[in-house]
């Protein structure tokens, strides 16, 4: 292997930024659910966010939600990517059985999509996100929306606000390293 000819190594030039957090990388944060909130830090540094619905239609089979989610991820990767890292809200308790099933299916789809492409991913506990955004680990939906607005965003709902909070948590803590 050839010796490096640079005066400083890449590690010394940018000592405090891990590879997945370089400014020229696309980072994705998700709040998984039937209505999924998303926030994207583009390679150009621009942050965009929104929601996407994976509600099934009357005549859809059980797997259509997950096929649509896979296609949405692929399209996001194609248009804004390549996606360098993904963070998602790690929910340990759901209000209902249906919500738990949808979350589990979306998480399985997301993690297999990421594994196939070699994209690192990490779940972030709900309390960690809420504490980071509002200072309270049990903040309500309105408090999360207010926290996103305080950062200059106008989230459509709490799903988008949560995704924005996850993205900023990942950026400011370098993915939980600090």
């Amino acid at each position: 292997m050839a010796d490096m000819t640079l005066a400083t190594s890449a590690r010394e030039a940018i000592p405090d930024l891990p590879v997945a957090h370089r400014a020229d990388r696309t980072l994705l944060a998700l709040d998984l659910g039937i209505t999924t909130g998303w926030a994207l830090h583009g390679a150009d540094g621009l942050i965009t966010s929104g929601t996407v619905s994976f509600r099934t239609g009357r005549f859809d089979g059980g797997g259509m939600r997950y096929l649509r989610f896979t296609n949405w991820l692929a399209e996001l990767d194609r248009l804004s990517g390549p996606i360098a890292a993904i963070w998602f809200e790690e929910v340990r308790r759901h209000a209902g059985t249906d919500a738990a099933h949808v979350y589990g299916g979306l998480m399985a789809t997301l993690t297999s999509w990421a594994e196939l492409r070699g994209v690192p991913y990490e779940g972030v506990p709900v309390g960690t996100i809420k504490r980071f955004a509002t200072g309270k680990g049990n903040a309500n939906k309105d408090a999360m929306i207010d926290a996103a607005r305080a950062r200059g965003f106008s989230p459509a709902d709490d799903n988008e606000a949560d995704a924005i909070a996850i993205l900023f948590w990942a950026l400011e803590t370098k993915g939980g390293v600090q």
Side-chain angles (χ1 to χ4, degrees):
M1 185 167 190
D3 291 331
M4 290 181 53
T5 58
L6 297 174
T8 60
S9 70
R11 186 61 102 185
E12 292 169 345
I14 309 173
D16 56 339
L17 294 177
V19 175
H21 298 84
R22 288 189 355 223
D24 63 343
R25 298 292 180 115
T26 300
L27 308 174
L28 178 62
L30 298 169
D31 178 17
L32 299 172
I34 292 171
T35 301
T36 292
W38 60 273
L40 185 88
H41 177 275
D44 58 1
L46 182 66
I47 294 175
T48 54
S49 64
T51 61
V52 60
S53 176
F54 295 108
R55 189 168 307 282
T56 53
R58 181 177 177 188
F59 301 107
D60 287 340
M64 286 306 295
R65 169 181 288 125
Y66 309 109
L67 287 175
R68 287 188 184 114
F69 182 55
T70 299
N71 289 337
W72 178 77
L73 286 170
E75 190 70 359
L76 195 62
D77 187 56
R78 185 180 72 78
L79 294 174
S80 303
I83 295 171
I86 301 170
W87 288 270
F88 61 93
E89 186 177 55
E90 185 178 53
V91 181
R92 293 291 183 181
R93 189 174 67 92
H94 289 87
T97 304
D98 287 345
H101 288 185
V102 169
Y103 175 82
L106 290 172
M107 189 173 70
T109 303
L110 172 67
T111 56
S112 63
W113 184 90
E115 290 286 351
L116 280 169
R117 288 155 185 81
V119 177
Y121 57 88
E122 180 182 353
V124 185
V126 174
T128 300
I129 298 162
K130 290 178 182 286
R131 192 173 306 107
F132 171 80
T134 68
K136 286 180 61 178
N138 63 348
N140 64 24
K141 294 175 189 238
D142 289 335
M144 292 300 289
I145 291 170
D146 290 343
R149 286 187 178 138
R151 288 190 178 264
F153 292 87
S154 183
D157 62 15
D158 61 293
N159 300 305
E160 184 177 354
D162 288 354
I164 292 165
I166 295 165
L167 182 63
F168 276 99
W169 175 87
L171 290 169
E172 293 178 19
T173 67
K174 298 181 179 104
V177 174
Q178 287 183 326

